[in-house]
Amino acid sequence: MALIRRMSGADRSMTADLLASEGLGPDGDFYSADGIDVIVAHNNGRIMGVVEYDLTCDFGREQGRAGHLGEQAWIYSIAVAASERRGGLGRALPTEVAQRAQEAGRTFLALAPQDGAEVLGRRAFFQACRLTLIEPETPGAAWGCPIIDVMRRNIPEARPR
């Protein structure tokens, strides 16, 4: 089972490699997370998932997207190792961001797929996380939803013992 925590300096190279494998960033020693928050999912010293995010982003207004809410939690990139997909880890990462965002007083979570991302698979993933298009459908269009929706959808229900 993967544990989710803040990225440490020792995780930098593996995190960069995972992001680069998905076309989401530079690889190796050039990776810098300055100015953003990064959490990783790891198991036995292996990085299996990563999400880069900001809890105080005003992306909509900064980018001239007048229809966006004010400050919101914004996911810059998210990646899960191919061997770990379809097991719930991908949904656990934005859920963790949503929990942190809620603690910081944010009510909305948003993201925009990066150019390197495989579009159809990402679209299905975003929908599975309860995210919806929040602007006209064009390349790079933003997705988002109230944080409470992400948390309701992605927190596993208790199982009988």
Side-chain angles (χ1 to χ4, degrees):
M1 170 171 239
L3 299 174
I4 298 175
R5 62 167 166 74
R6 289 184 76 86
M7 181 186 74
S8 71
D11 301 327
R12 189 173 68 173
S13 180
M14 284 187 290
T15 299
D17 290 345
L18 178 55
L19 288 168
S21 74
E22 296 297 314
L24 297 173
D27 56 5
D29 295 330
F30 299 106
Y31 179 69
S32 172
D34 292 342
I36 60 172
D37 292 305
V38 181
I39 53 176
V40 295
H42 71 97
N43 190 9
N44 294 324
R46 183 172 158 249
I47 301 299
M48 301 166 22
V50 60
V51 61
E52 300 173 310
Y53 66 99
D54 186 349
L55 297 181
T56 60
C57 186
D58 190 9
F59 180 82
R61 286 188 231 153
E62 288 174 1
Q63 301 297 319
R65 297 174 180 200
H68 283 239
L69 303 172
E71 283 190 356
Q72 55 200 276
W74 189 268
I75 293 177
Y76 293 117
S77 60
I78 184 168
V80 174
S83 63
E84 303 302 322
R85 293 185 187 148
R86 300 283 212 220
L89 180 59
R91 287 191 316 269
L93 291 168
T95 300
E96 180 68 23
V97 172
Q99 290 173 337
R100 291 169 186 234
Q102 187 176 52
E103 290 170 6
R106 303 290 174 249
T107 60
F108 198 82
L109 179 66
L111 59 82
Q114 292 183 352
D115 294 338
E118 183 270 308
V119 177
L120 293 178
R122 296 255 173 191
R123 181 184 183 99
F125 170 69
F126 298 156
Q127 290 170 334
C129 292
R130 279 256 169 104
L131 301 169
T132 60
L133 276 168
I134 56 175
E135 57 188 19
E137 188 168 3
T138 59
W143 291 69
C145 71
I147 286 171
I148 194 69
D149 289 352
V150 175
M151 293 174 63
R152 274 191 203 128
R153 168 72 176 143
N154 298 318
I155 294 177
E157 295 181 26
R159 295 187 177 116
R161 295 178 189 228

